[in-house]
Amino acid sequence: MMVGDRVRLRPVTLEDLPRFVEWLGDAQVNRHLSTPRFLSIEQEQAWFEALPARGEEAPRAVDALEDGAWVHVGSTGLLDIDWRVRSAEVGLLIGDTTRWGRGYGGEALLLLLGHAFDALGLHRVQLKVAAEHTRGRALYQRLGFVEEGALRGAAFADGAHGDLVVMSILAPEWRARRRR
Ligand SMILES: CC(C)(COP(=O)(O)OP(=O)(O)OC[C@H]1O[C@@H](n2cnc3c(N)ncnc32)[C@H](O)[C@@H]1OP(=O)(O)O)[C@@H](O)C(=O)NCCC(=O)NCCS
């Protein structure tokens, strides 16, 4: 469990799965995601049951502290960890759109980066974000991610292709950020 001021990251449980189905089916949420739009609860359960065998970092549920109680608002996690290079990709989702813009996404990502760099000792964390995703890009830039370039035509949203921007943060940058 990783606990911050207003956000905590915890293991995903079976009870969380119906919310994932709902969130991933929301057009506002999935607009810039590469996940399938119409996941059934059975598919989510199969994904959940297969997690231990994959031997990867477990995805984390994002909870926010509201009026003294923890509320499940999203998910995050490290994907495709390469232990030789010590690199990974990060995924982030705040599924309840009424809770966007409250700083939950940012705090969740800071907790995850702390885990990635300080606990796991990774050297590089990257993500890919649609060029059109201004909210996401602004957030990642504020957290210290650097834009590296674009994968042309690698995104598809609202019936049109767009670019995917690759962003990353390296361990020395993370440590410099912490010292500020
Ligand atoms: C992207 C996402 C994770 C952001 O979560 P969040 O909890 O709203 O993030 P925060 O509140 O911490 O920060 C949002 C930032 O966007 C800014 N922002 C808010 N509304 C915005 C808007 N309409 N346009 C551009 N920026 C906006 C905020 O000002 C904030 O930046 P700041 O902290 O520098 O002021 C969330 O919107 C989401 O899950 N979207 C759907 C899934 C997704 O796209 N995931 C990312 C894929 S790369």
Side-chain angles (χ1 to χ4, degrees), residues 3-9 62 102-112 139 142-143:
V3 187
D5 292 339
R6 293 190 306 150
V7 167
R8 73 175 184 188
L9 308 185
V62 178
R102 297 189 187 180
Y104 295 159
E107 195 175 339
L109 203 43
L110 282 178
L111 287 172
L112 192 72
L139 169 63
R142 177 169 58 80
L143 296 186

Side-chain angles (χ1 to χ4, degrees), residues 3-78:
V3 187
D5 292 339
R6 293 190 306 150
V7 167
R8 73 175 184 188
L9 308 185
R10 61 164 174 84
V12 173
T13 66
L14 258 181
E15 291 73 49
D16 298 326
L17 301 186
R19 277 183 294 273
F20 289 144
V21 172
E22 182 193 335
W23 293 339
L24 291 173
D26 180 333
Q28 260 188 292
V29 175
N30 68 34
R31 176 166 295 135
H32 298 299
L33 293 181
S34 55
T35 45
R37 266 77 176 131
F38 305 106
L39 277 173
S40 65
I41 189 74
E42 289 77 18
Q43 284 169 305
E44 278 290 315
Q45 274 163 0
W47 166 81
F48 180 76
E49 280 157 18
L51 283 177
R54 297 223 315 253
E56 292 178 359
E57 270 270 307
R60 317 280 164 158
V62 178
D63 288 343
L65 189 59
E66 293 183 357
D67 301 323
W70 290 103
V71 185
H72 181 211
V73 297
S75 68
T76 189
L78 295 169

Side-chain angles (χ1 to χ4, degrees), residues 29 92-94 100-103 105-106 128 133 135 139-140 142:
V29 175
L92 174 67
L93 169 90
I94 302 300
W100 284 3
R102 297 189 187 180
K128 298 191 204 89
H133 194 345
R135 176 193 293 267
L139 169 63
Y140 304 138
R142 177 169 58 80

